[in-house]
Amino acid sequence: MEALKLKIFDVLTEKITVSEFENWLYSSEYINQKIKGDSLFFNVVNINYREDKSIKEL
């Protein structure tokens, strides 16, 4: 979960773009393994990152 928190922080502090975060999120084997057992991972994956409000939701 720490890796996810760090990536979210990177997006919120504009160190990486939302698009970069989205690419990392969907290609992360770690996330794919964790999504089934943790609602935070599920909620983060289900955000539509192409919408303007995605940063607020994150």
Side-chain angles (χ1 to χ4, degrees), residues 10-29:
D10 286 346
V11 172
L12 297 177
T13 58
E14 298 179 354
K15 291 181 181 174
I16 63 172
T17 65
V18 172
S19 180
E20 290 171 319
F21 174 73
E22 185 178 24
N23 288 336
W24 173 84
L25 185 64
Y26 295 136
S27 65
S28 173
E29 196 60 37

Side-chain angles (χ1 to χ4, degrees), residues 24-45:
W24 173 84
L25 185 64
Y26 295 136
S27 65
S28 173
E29 196 60 37
Y30 174 75
I31 298 296
N32 289 329
Q33 292 173 357
K34 294 290 186 179
I35 194 169
K36 295 175 185 164
D38 193 309
S39 63
L40 173 62
F41 287 99
F42 182 78
N43 290 336
V44 169
V45 168

